[in-house]
Amino acid sequence: MCIRNRDIVIIGLQPWYTKIGSNCKNIAQEFAKENRVLYVNVPLDRRTAMTEKNNPDISHHLQVVNGKEPSLVQLNENFWNLYPSRVLESINWLPSTSLFSVFNKLNNRRFAKSIQAAIRQLGFENIILFNDNDIFRGYHLKELLRPAVYVYYSRDYLLAVDYWKKHGEKIEPMHIAKADVGVANSLYLADRLKTYNPNSYYVGQGCDLNLFNPDKHYEMPTDITGISGTVIGYVGALTSLRLDIPLLEKMAQAKPQWKFVLVGHEDEAFRKSALHHLPNVYFTGGKPMHLLPAYIRHFDICINPQVVNDLTVGNYPLKVDEYLAMGKPVLATRTPTMELFRDHVYLAEDLSSYISQAEKALAENSDEKAAARRGFALSHTWENSAAAIYDAILSFEQPVKRGHLSEHC
């Protein structure tokens, strides 16, 4: 189903000008195909305004705060970007959540006033307010902005991060509970939302896979041309918070005839790991996004050796869709989210199953399996994810409003 001709206000954790990919930005663009959308940048807080004032994006936002630049910018016919004109207090350092909550309400009021001014300027009415995981700055906006529908979107387990855990352990469950609709991009996170709010739904994950096309010709990158034999590869950030270094070390030691190619920037734990002393492990360093398909093209198996912890257990690994879009066999750690991929991905729990599943993947690879993998990955579109969000919203607005708000897109 589709929602058309509505006014949608989006807040979240990433401003529109962020250079990295963002679920929220992709969802906003999908919404704007059929609706008017106001995308609200993260408001400045005093600490950021002081410490990052030389950052060009922060400097521009300060110009807005000082009245020297417009706060509302039209990006296309149906899409506006708001730089909130009020500065919030930096309060996460407060030791008491009760005291934090008092100042957080003050921050929410300032934030709401900036949004209300833009809503009036645009003539938005009957708004849908979509909150991309902003636990604190969005906590009171349902009461302050009085939207027709308030949607809380969970795409990461933020409480695994100390910054959010400090006050979020108490505040986020209450926030989820008062939302009209909860939506999540993984089954694990959707189940978590349902423990606090029964009107919660899994809405899938969209991906932009245009870059990953196995029918294109990709020259072998020069830094891996000398590597022969079976190549098992990974692309992405090499961080010990998310990846199982001991597993990789043991695999490489157990299978010296296999070559392990790791493409990405390393954290300190990776730089100090024994992987650098193994002759069949190769590090290429970080690479621009447009070069990644060339590496994947020349891998025999793509791997996502996640360590399972609070941070990773519920996340949706976009890289798996990128691997699959290239038709490659994929070997990954079994998690609740990865169960969605079980018909197209080889899942493992430990060293023994990782090795046996890798051997199985090599033995049964075929053109038919490659085509099925790509077809599965390409079904994960932002259009489908947005449609699932629309269905969740309409389930709240039923039965009175659904008839005249929804049409087939």
Side-chain angles (χ1 to χ4, degrees), residues 234 237-246 248 270 304-307:
Y234 171 89
L238 295 165
T239 168
S240 57
L241 285 174
R242 294 183 179 274
L243 300 179
D244 193 335
I245 293 175
L248 286 169
F270 264 91
N304 191 39
Q306 277 193 177
V307 60

Side-chain angles (χ1 to χ4, degrees), residues 10-22 24-25 39-44 55 57-58 61 75 81-84 132 137 155:
I10 298 175
I11 67 165
L13 300 179
Q14 292 174 313
W16 183 255
Y17 53 75
T18 187
K19 303 300 188 294
I20 63 174
S22 164
C24 193
K25 289 174 65 174
Y39 189 102
V40 183
N41 290 337
V42 176
L44 290 181
N55 178 313
D57 293 318
I58 302 302
H61 200 155
L75 301 181
N81 182 211
L82 175 67
Y83 288 80
D132 172 34
R137 288 169 298 222
R155 57 178 170 81

Side-chain angles (χ1 to χ4, degrees), residues 10 77 79 121 159 167 170 220 261 347 383:
I10 298 175
E77 183 181 4
F79 202 111
Q121 186 175 339
L159 301 189
H167 300 297
K170 291 183 180 178
M220 180 177 286
V261 176
L347 300 179
E383 181 181 10

